[in-house]
Amino acid sequence: MKPSLQTNFAGVLLKNPLVLASGTCGFGREFSEIFEVSRLGGICSKGLTLNPKPGNGGIRIWETSAGIMNSVGLENPGVPAFIEKELPFMRTLGPALIVNLGGHTIDDYLTGVELLNTADFDILELNISCPNLKAGGMAFGIKTETAREVVRRVRSICKHPLMVKLSPNAEDITALALACEEEGADAVSLTNTFLAMAIDIQKGRPVFDAPYAGLSGPAIKPIALRMVHQCAGVLQIPVMGAGGITNWQDAVEYLMAGAAAVQIGTANFINPAIALDILAGLEGWMESRGIGDVTEIRGIV
Ligand SMILES: Cc1cc2nc3c(=O)[nH]c(=O)nc-3n(C[C@H](O)[C@H](O)[C@H](O)COP(=O)(O)O)c2cc1C
């Protein structure tokens, strides 16, 4: 018998626990030309803001020895244009549709949520962890009490299941995750990128204009995994793990650490169809080990 990978995530049925991470698959158009995106459990939109954003100037992506740093700065068409031009296509892709929303101010978030309330998708991922905005963004995800306030206010108006995307730069990741749960979040996802730096030694100045940027990929996996384990250990709501997943073994580690589902991000830049390889590897491993249902390994560590 084929193992079951079906995952009930905060009341949303995922075909399997594999999700494409925000900002690493656009709105799914290019990916849908390369592989069957419909075979995945979920797909996250690029991070949206209320109004269109051109993103940051200067260098945006920098390769490191075990990952990448990015300073994209949430380039996106804005919520209204997304609803009109991108969402109808994304909805046809098949996987659970997760819309990622960032913001500079609480009012930005609230107006964005109000507009999105009328739209057809499965989960709102509230991004309080973007390191590449001058104001807002990650600032909401550092202090527990600030995160608490934005989640409380968004929860009071949000009509979709609410997943809060946490920053690894939080002052106390478990306290902050618990505050999100207390304020009515249906799930959390973690982690976003780690605030990091690179220096161009020939020019004698930072590579990025900002000058800091977000580090992702294999370099962050052991730390993000530890944070997922810590949060899953104290929360009742489900956790979507992210950070450096590049193969099925990484995905299994996150599931064993307590994640109900996982996001694949930077690895998509190495091989856009990598999520299907991870799916095949996970299924094959479960079959060979006689694991009938993916939930059997959740949180066993
Ligand atoms: C180029 C790039 C753009 C990203 N844009 C967003 C974004 O718009 N919103 C968001 O919540 N996370 C964004 N992220 C973070 C990823 O969704 C993910 O949380 C993080 O990269 C860790 O996973 P990974 O190591 O598998 O990439 C971005 C990451 C990268 C590399």
Side-chain angles (χ1 to χ4, degrees), residues 21-24 45-48 60-61 68 70 72 74 100 125 127 129-130 165 190-193 214-218 220 242-245 263-267 269:
S22 177
T24 65
S45 76
K46 169 66 190 163
L48 303 168
R60 288 179 166 199
I61 301 269
I68 58 171
N70 91 82
V72 172
L74 282 191
N100 182 289
E125 183 175 52
N127 178 6
S129 45
C130 180
K165 185 157 182 184
L190 71 149
T191 70
N192 208 316
T193 54
L215 177 66
S216 60
I220 68 169
I245 295 176
Q263 296 184 358
I264 298 150
T266 301
F269 295 124

PDB file of all heavy atoms in Angstrom, residues 21-24 45-48 60-61 68 70 72 74 100 125 127 129-130 165 190-193 214-218 220 242-245 263-267 269, ligand 1:
ATOM      1  N   ALA A  21       8.034  27.826  -0.639  1.00  0.00           N
ATOM      2  CA  ALA A  21       8.130  28.969   0.281  1.00  0.00           C
ATOM      3  C   ALA A  21       7.960  30.303  -0.436  1.00  0.00           C
ATOM      4  O   ALA A  21       8.334  30.462  -1.609  1.00  0.00           O
ATOM      5  CB  ALA A  21       9.485  28.940   0.989  1.00  0.00           C
ATOM      6  N   SER A  22       7.444  31.262   0.296  1.00  0.00           N
ATOM      7  CA  SER A  22       7.208  32.604  -0.249  1.00  0.00           C
ATOM      8  C   SER A  22       8.501  33.241  -0.766  1.00  0.00           C
ATOM      9  O   SER A  22       9.558  33.142  -0.141  1.00  0.00           O
ATOM     10  CB  SER A  22       6.625  33.492   0.853  1.00  0.00           C
ATOM     11  OG  SER A  22       6.445  34.798   0.369  1.00  0.00           O
ATOM     12  N   GLY A  23       8.380  33.871  -1.920  1.00  0.00           N
ATOM     13  CA  GLY A  23       9.499  34.618  -2.482  1.00  0.00           C
ATOM     14  C   GLY A  23      10.462  33.767  -3.279  1.00  0.00           C
ATOM     15  O   GLY A  23      11.416  34.287  -3.852  1.00  0.00           O
ATOM     16  N   THR A  24      10.199  32.466  -3.352  1.00  0.00           N
ATOM     17  CA  THR A  24      11.115  31.595  -4.084  1.00  0.00           C
ATOM     18  C   THR A  24      10.426  30.905  -5.265  1.00  0.00           C
ATOM     19  O   THR A  24      11.026  30.080  -5.932  1.00  0.00           O
ATOM     20  CB  THR A  24      11.734  30.519  -3.161  1.00  0.00           C
ATOM     21  OG1 THR A  24      10.690  29.647  -2.706  1.00  0.00           O
ATOM     22  CG2 THR A  24      12.423  31.151  -1.962  1.00  0.00           C
ATOM     23  N   SER A  45       2.447  32.560  -2.043  1.00  0.00           N
ATOM     24  CA  SER A  45       2.695  33.671  -2.974  1.00  0.00           C
ATOM     25  C   SER A  45       3.927  34.441  -2.534  1.00  0.00           C
ATOM     26  O   SER A  45       4.334  34.374  -1.372  1.00  0.00           O
ATOM     27  CB  SER A  45       1.503  34.635  -2.981  1.00  0.00           C
ATOM     28  OG  SER A  45       1.516  35.431  -1.797  1.00  0.00           O
ATOM     29  N   LYS A  46       4.505  35.197  -3.442  1.00  0.00           N
ATOM     30  CA  LYS A  46       5.502  36.192  -3.065  1.00  0.00           C
ATOM     31  C   LYS A  46       4.884  37.108  -2.005  1.00  0.00           C
ATOM     32  O   LYS A  46       3.664  37.326  -2.020  1.00  0.00           O
ATOM     33  CB  LYS A  46       5.920  36.993  -4.312  1.00  0.00           C
ATOM     34  CG  LYS A  46       6.768  38.235  -4.027  1.00  0.00           C
ATOM     35  CD  LYS A  46       8.138  37.892  -3.460  1.00  0.00           C
ATOM     36  CE  LYS A  46       8.874  39.132  -2.946  1.00  0.00           C
ATOM     37  NZ  LYS A  46       9.993  38.789  -2.049  1.00  0.00           N
ATOM     38  N   GLY A  47       5.683  37.625  -1.103  1.00  0.00           N
ATOM     39  CA  GLY A  47       5.171  38.524  -0.078  1.00  0.00           C
ATOM     40  C   GLY A  47       4.535  39.757  -0.693  1.00  0.00           C
ATOM     41  O   GLY A  47       5.149  40.425  -1.536  1.00  0.00           O
ATOM     42  N   LEU A  48       3.301  40.038  -0.290  1.00  0.00           N
ATOM     43  CA  LEU A  48       2.578  41.188  -0.826  1.00  0.00           C
ATOM     44  C   LEU A  48       2.595  42.330   0.182  1.00  0.00           C
ATOM     45  O   LEU A  48       2.693  42.101   1.390  1.00  0.00           O
ATOM     46  CB  LEU A  48       1.122  40.816  -1.099  1.00  0.00           C
ATOM     47  CG  LEU A  48       0.913  39.647  -2.041  1.00  0.00           C
ATOM     48  CD1 LEU A  48      -0.543  39.200  -2.002  1.00  0.00           C
ATOM     49  CD2 LEU A  48       1.315  40.030  -3.464  1.00  0.00           C
ATOM     50  N   ARG A  60      20.877  42.313  -5.005  1.00  0.00           N
ATOM     51  CA  ARG A  60      19.735  41.724  -4.289  1.00  0.00           C
ATOM     52  C   ARG A  60      19.996  40.309  -3.811  1.00  0.00           C
ATOM     53  O   ARG A  60      19.371  39.842  -2.862  1.00  0.00           O
ATOM     54  CB  ARG A  60      18.514  41.705  -5.198  1.00  0.00           C
ATOM     55  CG  ARG A  60      17.913  43.067  -5.444  1.00  0.00           C
ATOM     56  CD  ARG A  60      16.740  42.927  -6.362  1.00  0.00           C
ATOM     57  NE  ARG A  60      15.927  44.127  -6.383  1.00  0.00           N
ATOM     58  CZ  ARG A  60      14.673  44.158  -6.799  1.00  0.00           C
ATOM     59  NH1 ARG A  60      14.104  43.062  -7.241  1.00  0.00           N
ATOM     60  NH2 ARG A  60      14.000  45.283  -6.788  1.00  0.00           N
ATOM     61  N   ILE A  61      20.846  39.585  -4.554  1.00  0.00           N
ATOM     62  CA  ILE A  61      21.129  38.191  -4.187  1.00  0.00           C
ATOM     63  C   ILE A  61      22.636  38.001  -4.152  1.00  0.00           C
ATOM     64  O   ILE A  61      23.341  38.460  -5.069  1.00  0.00           O
ATOM     65  CB  ILE A  61      20.553  37.202  -5.226  1.00  0.00           C
ATOM     66  CG1 ILE A  61      19.030  37.351  -5.369  1.00  0.00           C
ATOM     67  CG2 ILE A  61      20.959  35.774  -4.911  1.00  0.00           C
ATOM     68  CD1 ILE A  61      18.189  36.485  -4.486  1.00  0.00           C
ATOM     69  N   ILE A  68      22.243  31.454   0.391  1.00  0.00           N
ATOM     70  CA  ILE A  68      22.258  32.757  -0.276  1.00  0.00           C
ATOM     71  C   ILE A  68      21.798  33.831   0.699  1.00  0.00           C
ATOM     72  O   ILE A  68      21.133  33.535   1.691  1.00  0.00           O
ATOM     73  CB  ILE A  68      21.361  32.811  -1.536  1.00  0.00           C
ATOM     74  CG1 ILE A  68      19.908  32.464  -1.209  1.00  0.00           C
ATOM     75  CG2 ILE A  68      21.895  31.958  -2.648  1.00  0.00           C
ATOM     76  CD1 ILE A  68      18.956  32.721  -2.369  1.00  0.00           C
ATOM     77  N   ASN A  70      19.647  37.485   0.572  1.00  0.00           N
ATOM     78  CA  ASN A  70      18.847  38.287  -0.335  1.00  0.00           C
ATOM     79  C   ASN A  70      18.405  39.577   0.321  1.00  0.00           C
ATOM     80  O   ASN A  70      18.217  39.655   1.527  1.00  0.00           O
ATOM     81  CB  ASN A  70      17.643  37.495  -0.872  1.00  0.00           C
ATOM     82  CG  ASN A  70      16.406  37.653  -0.012  1.00  0.00           C
ATOM     83  OD1 ASN A  70      15.672  38.639  -0.121  1.00  0.00           O
ATOM     84  ND2 ASN A  70      16.177  36.688   0.881  1.00  0.00           N
ATOM     85  N   VAL A  72      15.774  41.507  -1.502  1.00  0.00           N
ATOM     86  CA  VAL A  72      14.849  41.809  -2.596  1.00  0.00           C
ATOM     87  C   VAL A  72      13.977  43.003  -2.214  1.00  0.00           C
ATOM     88  O   VAL A  72      13.645  43.842  -3.058  1.00  0.00           O
ATOM     89  CB  VAL A  72      13.991  40.564  -2.940  1.00  0.00           C
ATOM     90  CG1 VAL A  72      12.896  40.911  -3.944  1.00  0.00           C
ATOM     91  CG2 VAL A  72      14.884  39.451  -3.491  1.00  0.00           C
ATOM     92  N   LEU A  74      10.849  42.933  -0.880  1.00  0.00           N
ATOM     93  CA  LEU A  74       9.415  42.714  -1.133  1.00  0.00           C
ATOM     94  C   LEU A  74       8.909  43.377  -2.412  1.00  0.00           C
ATOM     95  O   LEU A  74       7.854  44.013  -2.410  1.00  0.00           O
ATOM     96  CB  LEU A  74       8.566  43.175   0.063  1.00  0.00           C
ATOM     97  CG  LEU A  74       8.496  42.256   1.283  1.00  0.00           C
ATOM     98  CD1 LEU A  74       7.402  42.729   2.245  1.00  0.00           C
ATOM     99  CD2 LEU A  74       8.239  40.812   0.911  1.00  0.00           C
ATOM    100  N   ASN A 100       0.929  35.350   1.199  1.00  0.00           N
ATOM    101  CA  ASN A 100       1.875  35.933   2.162  1.00  0.00           C
ATOM    102  C   ASN A 100       1.738  37.455   2.139  1.00  0.00           C
ATOM    103  O   ASN A 100       1.852  38.084   1.095  1.00  0.00           O
ATOM    104  CB  ASN A 100       3.294  35.488   1.752  1.00  0.00           C
ATOM    105  CG  ASN A 100       4.371  35.985   2.705  1.00  0.00           C
ATOM    106  OD1 ASN A 100       4.687  37.170   2.742  1.00  0.00           O
ATOM    107  ND2 ASN A 100       4.952  35.079   3.467  1.00  0.00           N
ATOM    108  N   GLU A 125      -0.686  33.887   5.234  1.00  0.00           N
ATOM    109  CA  GLU A 125       0.588  33.818   5.970  1.00  0.00           C
ATOM    110  C   GLU A 125       0.996  35.260   6.276  1.00  0.00           C
ATOM    111  O   GLU A 125       1.363  36.014   5.363  1.00  0.00           O
ATOM    112  CB  GLU A 125       1.657  33.108   5.145  1.00  0.00           C
ATOM    113  CG  GLU A 125       2.972  32.941   5.907  1.00  0.00           C
ATOM    114  CD  GLU A 125       4.024  32.130   5.142  1.00  0.00           C
ATOM    115  OE1 GLU A 125       4.313  32.458   3.970  1.00  0.00           O
ATOM    116  OE2 GLU A 125       4.559  31.156   5.716  1.00  0.00           O
ATOM    117  N   ASN A 127       3.360  37.856   7.287  1.00  0.00           N
ATOM    118  CA  ASN A 127       4.817  37.962   7.338  1.00  0.00           C
ATOM    119  C   ASN A 127       5.210  39.106   8.275  1.00  0.00           C
ATOM    120  O   ASN A 127       5.158  40.268   7.890  1.00  0.00           O
ATOM    121  CB  ASN A 127       5.329  38.189   5.901  1.00  0.00           C
ATOM    122  CG  ASN A 127       6.834  38.371   5.847  1.00  0.00           C
ATOM    123  OD1 ASN A 127       7.536  38.231   6.846  1.00  0.00           O
ATOM    124  ND2 ASN A 127       7.324  38.692   4.665  1.00  0.00           N
ATOM    125  N   SER A 129       8.211  39.107   9.530  1.00  0.00           N
ATOM    126  CA  SER A 129       9.608  38.700   9.674  1.00  0.00           C
ATOM    127  C   SER A 129      10.494  39.077   8.500  1.00  0.00           C
ATOM    128  O   SER A 129      11.590  38.545   8.377  1.00  0.00           O
ATOM    129  CB  SER A 129       9.648  37.181   9.885  1.00  0.00           C
ATOM    130  OG  SER A 129       8.789  36.515   8.970  1.00  0.00           O
ATOM    131  N   CYS A 130      10.024  40.012   7.637  1.00  0.00           N
ATOM    132  CA  CYS A 130      10.859  40.357   6.483  1.00  0.00           C
ATOM    133  C   CYS A 130      11.999  41.275   6.910  1.00  0.00           C
ATOM    134  O   CYS A 130      11.760  42.383   7.399  1.00  0.00           O
ATOM    135  CB  CYS A 130      10.048  41.046   5.391  1.00  0.00           C
ATOM    136  SG  CYS A 130      11.104  41.456   3.983  1.00  0.00           S
ATOM    137  N   LYS A 165       4.170  34.090  10.165  1.00  0.00           N
ATOM    138  CA  LYS A 165       5.530  33.682   9.802  1.00  0.00           C
ATOM    139  C   LYS A 165       6.530  34.363  10.720  1.00  0.00           C
ATOM    140  O   LYS A 165       6.661  35.589  10.742  1.00  0.00           O
ATOM    141  CB  LYS A 165       5.827  34.025   8.345  1.00  0.00           C
ATOM    142  CG  LYS A 165       7.188  33.495   7.915  1.00  0.00           C
ATOM    143  CD  LYS A 165       7.258  33.317   6.440  1.00  0.00           C
ATOM    144  CE  LYS A 165       8.602  32.740   6.015  1.00  0.00           C
ATOM    145  NZ  LYS A 165       8.713  32.654   4.572  1.00  0.00           N
ATOM    146  N   LEU A 190       7.934  28.919  10.416  1.00  0.00           N
ATOM    147  CA  LEU A 190       9.259  29.414  10.767  1.00  0.00           C
ATOM    148  C   LEU A 190      10.314  28.473  10.238  1.00  0.00           C
ATOM    149  O   LEU A 190      10.047  27.277  10.134  1.00  0.00           O
ATOM    150  CB  LEU A 190       9.408  29.624  12.278  1.00  0.00           C
ATOM    151  CG  LEU A 190       9.481  28.410  13.208  1.00  0.00           C
ATOM    152  CD1 LEU A 190      10.330  28.723  14.407  1.00  0.00           C
ATOM    153  CD2 LEU A 190       8.096  27.979  13.657  1.00  0.00           C
ATOM    154  N   THR A 191      11.463  29.093   9.794  1.00  0.00           N
ATOM    155  CA  THR A 191      11.790  30.482  10.001  1.00  0.00           C
ATOM    156  C   THR A 191      11.881  31.244   8.675  1.00  0.00           C
ATOM    157  O   THR A 191      12.048  30.632   7.614  1.00  0.00           O
ATOM    158  CB  THR A 191      13.167  30.662  10.698  1.00  0.00           C
ATOM    159  OG1 THR A 191      14.188  30.298   9.780  1.00  0.00           O
ATOM    160  CG2 THR A 191      13.283  29.845  11.947  1.00  0.00           C
ATOM    161  N   ASN A 192      11.774  32.564   8.810  1.00  0.00           N
ATOM    162  CA  ASN A 192      12.158  33.432   7.711  1.00  0.00           C
ATOM    163  C   ASN A 192      13.694  33.493   7.707  1.00  0.00           C
ATOM    164  O   ASN A 192      14.362  32.717   8.397  1.00  0.00           O
ATOM    165  CB  ASN A 192      11.534  34.824   7.894  1.00  0.00           C
ATOM    166  CG  ASN A 192      11.305  35.519   6.565  1.00  0.00           C
ATOM    167  OD1 ASN A 192      12.182  35.493   5.689  1.00  0.00           O
ATOM    168  ND2 ASN A 192      10.166  36.149   6.398  1.00  0.00           N
ATOM    169  N   THR A 193      14.273  34.418   6.989  1.00  0.00           N
ATOM    170  CA  THR A 193      15.729  34.473   6.847  1.00  0.00           C
ATOM    171  C   THR A 193      16.402  35.112   8.071  1.00  0.00           C
ATOM    172  O   THR A 193      15.781  35.861   8.814  1.00  0.00           O
ATOM    173  CB  THR A 193      16.103  35.279   5.593  1.00  0.00           C
ATOM    174  OG1 THR A 193      15.466  36.552   5.668  1.00  0.00           O
ATOM    175  CG2 THR A 193      15.663  34.567   4.337  1.00  0.00           C
ATOM    176  N   GLY A 214      19.036  38.992   4.244  1.00  0.00           N
ATOM    177  CA  GLY A 214      18.521  37.777   4.866  1.00  0.00           C
ATOM    178  C   GLY A 214      19.230  36.536   4.358  1.00  0.00           C
ATOM    179  O   GLY A 214      19.281  36.288   3.159  1.00  0.00           O
ATOM    180  N   LEU A 215      19.752  35.742   5.284  1.00  0.00           N
ATOM    181  CA  LEU A 215      20.459  34.500   4.926  1.00  0.00           C
ATOM    182  C   LEU A 215      19.492  33.323   4.954  1.00  0.00           C
ATOM    183  O   LEU A 215      18.718  33.160   5.903  1.00  0.00           O
ATOM    184  CB  LEU A 215      21.604  34.259   5.927  1.00  0.00           C
ATOM    185  CG  LEU A 215      22.399  32.962   5.752  1.00  0.00           C
ATOM    186  CD1 LEU A 215      23.187  32.947   4.447  1.00  0.00           C
ATOM    187  CD2 LEU A 215      23.352  32.761   6.941  1.00  0.00           C
ATOM    188  N   SER A 216      19.569  32.482   3.916  1.00  0.00           N
ATOM    189  CA  SER A 216      18.712  31.284   3.832  1.00  0.00           C
ATOM    190  C   SER A 216      19.533  30.148   3.245  1.00  0.00           C
ATOM    191  O   SER A 216      20.677  30.336   2.840  1.00  0.00           O
ATOM    192  CB  SER A 216      17.505  31.587   2.944  1.00  0.00           C
ATOM    193  OG  SER A 216      17.947  31.939   1.640  1.00  0.00           O
ATOM    194  N   GLY A 217      18.911  28.966   3.173  1.00  0.00           N
ATOM    195  CA  GLY A 217      19.591  27.810   2.594  1.00  0.00           C
ATOM    196  C   GLY A 217      20.227  26.931   3.663  1.00  0.00           C
ATOM    197  O   GLY A 217      20.027  27.140   4.864  1.00  0.00           O
ATOM    198  N   PRO A 218      21.029  25.938   3.220  1.00  0.00           N
ATOM    199  CA  PRO A 218      21.563  24.938   4.151  1.00  0.00           C
ATOM    200  C   PRO A 218      22.269  25.524   5.383  1.00  0.00           C
ATOM    201  O   PRO A 218      22.242  24.918   6.458  1.00  0.00           O
ATOM    202  CB  PRO A 218      22.562  24.155   3.284  1.00  0.00           C
ATOM    203  CG  PRO A 218      22.024  24.294   1.908  1.00  0.00           C
ATOM    204  CD  PRO A 218      21.389  25.642   1.823  1.00  0.00           C
ATOM    205  N   ILE A 220      21.390  27.729   7.368  1.00  0.00           N
ATOM    206  CA  ILE A 220      20.519  28.029   8.510  1.00  0.00           C
ATOM    207  C   ILE A 220      19.782  26.796   9.028  1.00  0.00           C
ATOM    208  O   ILE A 220      19.120  26.861  10.062  1.00  0.00           O
ATOM    209  CB  ILE A 220      19.477  29.133   8.176  1.00  0.00           C
ATOM    210  CG1 ILE A 220      18.439  28.639   7.154  1.00  0.00           C
ATOM    211  CG2 ILE A 220      20.177  30.404   7.681  1.00  0.00           C
ATOM    212  CD1 ILE A 220      17.239  29.592   6.992  1.00  0.00           C
ATOM    213  N   ALA A 242      10.575  25.690   8.033  1.00  0.00           N
ATOM    214  CA  ALA A 242      11.305  26.154   6.843  1.00  0.00           C
ATOM    215  C   ALA A 242      12.722  26.506   7.235  1.00  0.00           C
ATOM    216  O   ALA A 242      12.982  26.969   8.348  1.00  0.00           O
ATOM    217  CB  ALA A 242      10.623  27.383   6.240  1.00  0.00           C
ATOM    218  N   GLY A 243      13.620  26.305   6.292  1.00  0.00           N
ATOM    219  CA  GLY A 243      15.009  26.695   6.512  1.00  0.00           C
ATOM    220  C   GLY A 243      15.963  25.634   6.027  1.00  0.00           C
ATOM    221  O   GLY A 243      16.189  24.633   6.700  1.00  0.00           O
ATOM    222  N   GLY A 244      16.470  25.841   4.811  1.00  0.00           N
ATOM    223  CA  GLY A 244      17.561  24.999   4.317  1.00  0.00           C
ATOM    224  C   GLY A 244      17.183  23.609   3.882  1.00  0.00           C
ATOM    225  O   GLY A 244      18.057  22.745   3.752  1.00  0.00           O
ATOM    226  N   ILE A 245      15.913  23.356   3.609  1.00  0.00           N
ATOM    227  CA  ILE A 245      15.531  22.005   3.163  1.00  0.00           C
ATOM    228  C   ILE A 245      15.958  21.829   1.706  1.00  0.00           C
ATOM    229  O   ILE A 245      15.508  22.581   0.828  1.00  0.00           O
ATOM    230  CB  ILE A 245      14.011  21.784   3.322  1.00  0.00           C
ATOM    231  CG1 ILE A 245      13.650  21.826   4.815  1.00  0.00           C
ATOM    232  CG2 ILE A 245      13.578  20.465   2.682  1.00  0.00           C
ATOM    233  CD1 ILE A 245      12.172  21.727   5.099  1.00  0.00           C
ATOM    234  N   GLN A 263       8.257  24.020   4.289  1.00  0.00           N
ATOM    235  CA  GLN A 263       8.394  24.889   3.109  1.00  0.00           C
ATOM    236  C   GLN A 263       9.788  24.708   2.510  1.00  0.00           C
ATOM    237  O   GLN A 263      10.772  24.613   3.239  1.00  0.00           O
ATOM    238  CB  GLN A 263       8.209  26.353   3.504  1.00  0.00           C
ATOM    239  CG  GLN A 263       6.820  26.663   4.022  1.00  0.00           C
ATOM    240  CD  GLN A 263       6.620  28.138   4.332  1.00  0.00           C
ATOM    241  OE1 GLN A 263       7.538  28.946   4.199  1.00  0.00           O
ATOM    242  NE2 GLN A 263       5.414  28.485   4.746  1.00  0.00           N
ATOM    243  N   ILE A 264       9.815  24.712   1.189  1.00  0.00           N
ATOM    244  CA  ILE A 264      11.075  24.580   0.461  1.00  0.00           C
ATOM    245  C   ILE A 264      11.323  25.909  -0.243  1.00  0.00           C
ATOM    246  O   ILE A 264      10.459  26.370  -1.010  1.00  0.00           O
ATOM    247  CB  ILE A 264      10.982  23.422  -0.552  1.00  0.00           C
ATOM    248  CG1 ILE A 264      10.739  22.112   0.213  1.00  0.00           C
ATOM    249  CG2 ILE A 264      12.247  23.323  -1.406  1.00  0.00           C
ATOM    250  CD1 ILE A 264       9.956  21.098  -0.562  1.00  0.00           C
ATOM    251  N   GLY A 265      12.466  26.533   0.026  1.00  0.00           N
ATOM    252  CA  GLY A 265      12.726  27.869  -0.485  1.00  0.00           C
ATOM    253  C   GLY A 265      13.932  27.938  -1.395  1.00  0.00           C
ATOM    254  O   GLY A 265      13.859  27.667  -2.605  1.00  0.00           O
ATOM    255  N   THR A 266      15.081  28.244  -0.801  1.00  0.00           N
ATOM    256  CA  THR A 266      16.311  28.467  -1.565  1.00  0.00           C
ATOM    257  C   THR A 266      16.636  27.309  -2.515  1.00  0.00           C
ATOM    258  O   THR A 266      17.163  27.533  -3.612  1.00  0.00           O
ATOM    259  CB  THR A 266      17.475  28.704  -0.573  1.00  0.00           C
ATOM    260  OG1 THR A 266      17.140  29.851   0.222  1.00  0.00           O
ATOM    261  CG2 THR A 266      18.786  28.943  -1.275  1.00  0.00           C
ATOM    262  N   ALA A 267      16.316  26.088  -2.111  1.00  0.00           N
ATOM    263  CA  ALA A 267      16.630  24.918  -2.947  1.00  0.00           C
ATOM    264  C   ALA A 267      15.953  25.009  -4.317  1.00  0.00           C
ATOM    265  O   ALA A 267      16.447  24.430  -5.299  1.00  0.00           O
ATOM    266  CB  ALA A 267      16.219  23.635  -2.231  1.00  0.00           C
ATOM    267  N   PHE A 269      16.017  27.421  -6.211  1.00  0.00           N
ATOM    268  CA  PHE A 269      16.913  28.144  -7.128  1.00  0.00           C
ATOM    269  C   PHE A 269      17.982  27.211  -7.706  1.00  0.00           C
ATOM    270  O   PHE A 269      18.586  27.518  -8.726  1.00  0.00           O
ATOM    271  CB  PHE A 269      17.582  29.319  -6.418  1.00  0.00           C
ATOM    272  CG  PHE A 269      16.604  30.385  -5.975  1.00  0.00           C
ATOM    273  CD1 PHE A 269      16.539  30.789  -4.657  1.00  0.00           C
ATOM    274  CD2 PHE A 269      15.748  30.978  -6.887  1.00  0.00           C
ATOM    275  CE1 PHE A 269      15.637  31.766  -4.248  1.00  0.00           C
ATOM    276  CE2 PHE A 269      14.834  31.953  -6.494  1.00  0.00           C
ATOM    277  CZ  PHE A 269      14.788  32.348  -5.173  1.00  0.00           C
TER     278      PHE A 269
HETATM  279  C1  LIG B   1      14.960  35.451  -2.657  1.00  0.00           C
HETATM  280  C2  LIG B   1      14.077  35.215  -1.458  1.00  0.00           C
HETATM  281  C3  LIG B   1      12.907  35.962  -1.316  1.00  0.00           C
HETATM  282  C4  LIG B   1      12.085  35.762  -0.214  1.00  0.00           C
HETATM  283  N1  LIG B   1      10.931  36.473  -0.096  1.00  0.00           N
HETATM  284  C5  LIG B   1      10.094  36.250   0.953  1.00  0.00           C
HETATM  285  C6  LIG B   1       8.849  36.930   1.040  1.00  0.00           C
HETATM  286  O1  LIG B   1       8.464  37.722   0.174  1.00  0.00           O
HETATM  287  N2  LIG B   1       8.063  36.686   2.138  1.00  0.00           N
HETATM  288  C7  LIG B   1       8.439  35.787   3.120  1.00  0.00           C
HETATM  289  O2  LIG B   1       7.694  35.593   4.093  1.00  0.00           O
HETATM  290  N3  LIG B   1       9.601  35.100   3.027  1.00  0.00           N
HETATM  291  C8  LIG B   1      10.421  35.306   1.978  1.00  0.00           C
HETATM  292  N4  LIG B   1      11.600  34.597   1.883  1.00  0.00           N
HETATM  293  C9  LIG B   1      11.945  33.617   2.927  1.00  0.00           C
HETATM  294  C10 LIG B   1      11.586  32.184   2.520  1.00  0.00           C
HETATM  295  O3  LIG B   1      10.205  32.048   2.276  1.00  0.00           O
HETATM  296  C11 LIG B   1      12.020  31.169   3.618  1.00  0.00           C
HETATM  297  O4  LIG B   1      11.294  31.431   4.798  1.00  0.00           O
HETATM  298  C12 LIG B   1      13.500  31.262   3.945  1.00  0.00           C
HETATM  299  O5  LIG B   1      14.256  31.508   2.780  1.00  0.00           O
HETATM  300  C13 LIG B   1      14.036  29.994   4.627  1.00  0.00           C
HETATM  301  O6  LIG B   1      13.854  28.855   3.828  1.00  0.00           O
HETATM  302  P1  LIG B   1      14.989  28.289   2.804  1.00  0.00           P
HETATM  303  O7  LIG B   1      16.269  28.207   3.585  1.00  0.00           O
HETATM  304  O8  LIG B   1      14.471  26.974   2.332  1.00  0.00           O
HETATM  305  O9  LIG B   1      15.083  29.289   1.711  1.00  0.00           O
HETATM  306  C14 LIG B   1      12.445  34.791   0.778  1.00  0.00           C
HETATM  307  C15 LIG B   1      13.606  34.038   0.620  1.00  0.00           C
HETATM  308  C16 LIG B   1      14.421  34.225  -0.480  1.00  0.00           C
HETATM  309  C17 LIG B   1      15.672  33.389  -0.616  1.00  0.00           C
END
